[in-house]
Structure formats: C-alpha cells, structure tokens
Amino acid sequence: MEHDLPPVLSLDIGGTKLAAGVVTGDGLIHGWQVTPTRREQGPRRVLVRLFDLGRKAIAEAGPPQVAAVGISCGGPLDTTTGVLECPPHLPGWIDVPVGAMAAEEFGVPSALENDATAAALGEFRYGAGRGTSTMLYLTISTGVGGGSVIGGRLHRGAAGNGGELGHVVVRPGGRKCSCGRLGCLEAYASGTAIAERAREALAAGRASSLSAIGLPTAEDVFRATEAGDALATEVWNETTWALGSAITDLVNAFEPELVVLGGGVTRSGARLFDPVRAAVARDAMPPAARTARIEPAQLGEGVGVVGAGAVAHDLLASGKRHA
C-alpha cells in the first residue's frame, strides 16, 4: 500500500542548512538538494531560496507532479495553521505562515511538522522503527529533540508540540538549559553542552590535551576520551549518565519496544550506546527494561526530509488541506 502513495515534496528548514527532496511511498528521497540556510537573510529571502530548492528537487526527480508538500522545522510551531511561531534556531522568524506559503507556491496541500517529531515518524515508518508499535526517538545534536509513536500513531500532544524529550530534567537545579529551566537533558547531553562543559573546565585551569584546541567541540571531546584524556572522559561519562538517566525514566513511563537515538553525537557509537544500554538495563523497571531495545537511527542526514514526506503522506490520507 505504501508503494502506491503519490510522490510528495519534502522541505527541511534547519538553522544551518536547507534540504529538499521528492519522497515516494517507499520512503526513498529523489532529487536530493542541500544549501546553507543563511538565516541572517530573514524568513522571506530564505523561503524564496527554499522553494527554489524544492523546484530543483522536483525537476531532478522527474515526477509529473507532487501531491503535497511536507515541511520539517524546529518549533515552537502550530501544526494546525502551518505557522512557525518563534523557533530559537531561526531568530526573527515570528509567526511565519510557511505552510500557507508553500501551499500557494506549489498549488498543493501542505503540512508543517516539528523536525524531531517528523524524524520520529520517518524512523518509525522507514528506518529503525519498522515493525514496532511503540517507539521513542531522540536526536542528540546541537540540542536534544524527540518524538514518540504510541500504538502505531504519532503523538503530537494537545498543542501539536509534544515530544520535547530533551527537556526531561536529569539534575534538578543543574545547568541552565536553552529553554530557561535548570537541569534538562539537553543541558548535559547535547553537542553544545558537551563542548561547553569541556571549555568551562579548561577555563577553570583543568589540565587536558583539549587545551591545545582553541574551542573544543563535542567531537574533539569524544576523540580525547578515546585517547584516554581524563577531563574529556569525565565530561563524556556525565553525558552518558544524563542520557541513560533520562531514557530510563522514559522507558518506565512509556514501556516502548524501541528507543531510537539519532543525531551527530550518536556517531560516537558503542562509547555512547553501551553505557546508556547498561543504565537502562540496570535501573528501569524490570518489565520495561526487558522489553526496550536501544538502537541507532538508520535514515542519516535525510531523516528530516523522509519524515516530512511521511507527514505529507499522512496529510493526504486524512483528506485535510493542512496538518
């Protein structure tokens, strides 16, 4: 049945890059296009370039026409009206009606979805989550986003922005998070937080091989951990502790079959997955711990485009003009 779905245009709006592609019913991307966001240009100019990118994707993919447009972007946003309200990664983008603009531009229905929620649907339908019924997804990158599929259905929440799994508190009164609260998972496990904690320790005079690097990144911390650096290992262990603690709570709450971890930080592989799996096996309630597998995402950098395509296909199935 999925293979019978018509091709749709998928657009992914990130803080650093824009991506577009035509997604078919088998979840494959055709006519893949990527370009820098250049968010300082403001929403109008960026969206002109995004829609141009979409037209290039359609031209390269070669379908006679697309049936809908799916758009993936970080929130807050209103999925009902297709309005980007005030996404922190796009400063100055206030109440931008991107859904209506895309529908007018391409002459087909449009759906706007939170990027992590769309990615969760993409992984559930076409990636690591195929064959499951209840799945949690966390993307661990610049920030920590998430999404959940419960009983085979994407969970959006009452206002359409549910699934903010990065804002589970792992250390009450701890580090300040980008959301304004203290002690969120994102404040410890995101690539940004990993780099910040290492830089703060260096500024405080801690000895480390990282001192030879002007502004160490999360990848630098991981490499130093691999080389046995004590400070880097301390930062990394706190990262995996925070992630293991948060996922344990989520596993207890949802009892999923699968927890999928994606995003740049997960490229560290076993050094991230092994301690997180061990923490969940040790600390989660026994039935939940036995049931939940923790696996890497499969869709890679195309997950936002595949997820937006899945959202657009669901829009067509619903018969609505917007999600």
Side-chain angles (χ1 to χ4, degrees):
M1 179 180 172
E2 287 181 349
H3 291 263
D4 296 330
L5 294 170
V8 296
L9 176 62
S10 296
L11 306 173
D12 185 29
I13 307 171
T16 57
K17 68 178 177 66
L18 305 173
V22 173
V23 176
T24 44
D26 52 8
L28 296 179
I29 303 172
H30 307 268
W32 170 261
Q33 306 286 327
V34 181
T35 193
T37 303
R38 298 177 188 145
R39 60 185 184 179
E40 69 280 359
Q41 293 181 343
R44 185 167 297 279
R45 291 179 63 189
V46 171
L47 289 175
V48 166
R49 293 173 46 244
L50 177 67
F51 296 155
D52 283 343
L53 205 67
R55 281 189 286 272
K56 288 179 184 176
I58 294 171
E60 186 171 314
Q65 60 183 27
V66 294
V69 181
I71 308 155
S72 168
C73 187
L77 50 80
D78 188 328
T79 59
T80 302
T81 62
V83 172
L84 282 175
E85 295 179 342
C86 52
H89 70 298
L90 297 169
W93 289 49
I94 307 298
D95 295 332
V96 179
V98 63
M101 294 170 71
E104 182 177 356
E105 185 75 25
F106 295 99
V108 293
S110 70
L112 174 66
E113 186 59 79
N114 178 279
D115 54 359
T117 306
L121 183 61
E123 284 289 344
F124 172 73
R125 192 162 290 167
Y126 302 113
R130 282 175 295 182
T132 64
S133 176
T134 301
M135 184 204 85
L136 303 181
Y137 171 82
L138 288 91
T139 177
I140 308 159
S141 187
T142 305
V144 178
S148 56
V149 177
I150 309 298
R153 296 178 63 86
L154 185 65
H155 175 72
R156 288 186 171 92
N161 289 276
E164 292 287 358
L165 306 184
H167 299 290
V168 172
V169 172
V170 294
R171 180 165 284 167
R175 296 177 61 83
K176 188 168 185 178
C177 181
S178 62
C179 74
R181 298 178 72 203
L182 302 179
C184 291
L185 173 63
E186 183 174 293
Y188 291 90
S190 67
T192 303
I194 293 169
E196 283 178 352
R197 298 201 320 279
R199 293 172 188 177
E200 288 167 8
L202 292 173
R206 295 283 300 276
S208 170
S209 61
L210 292 169
S211 61
I213 302 170
L215 292 173
T217 64
E219 185 175 358
D220 293 326
V221 173
F222 170 67
R223 288 176 177 170
T225 301
E226 292 276 83
D229 184 272
L231 170 59
T233 300
E234 181 181 311
V235 171
W236 193 260
N237 287 347
E238 186 178 41
T239 300
T240 58
W241 162 81
L243 191 56
S245 177
I247 292 176
T248 295
D249 287 346
L250 294 170
V251 163
N252 283 340
F254 290 97
E255 201 171 270
E257 299 158 73
L258 178 67
V259 179
V260 178
L261 304 182
V265 174
T266 65
R267 288 198 290 268
S268 53
R271 195 170 282 273
L272 181 83
F273 281 87
D274 286 354
V276 169
R277 287 170 176 146
V280 174
R282 180 187 66 240
D283 297 333
M285 299 295 287
R290 287 193 300 268
T291 302
R293 294 178 292 116
I294 301 170
E295 301 292 345
Q298 293 181 357
L299 297 180
E301 66 173 347
V303 66
V305 168
V306 175
V311 170
H313 281 134
D314 282 359
L315 173 67
L316 293 171
S318 74
K320 298 177 182 177
R321 293 297 296 176
H322 52 75

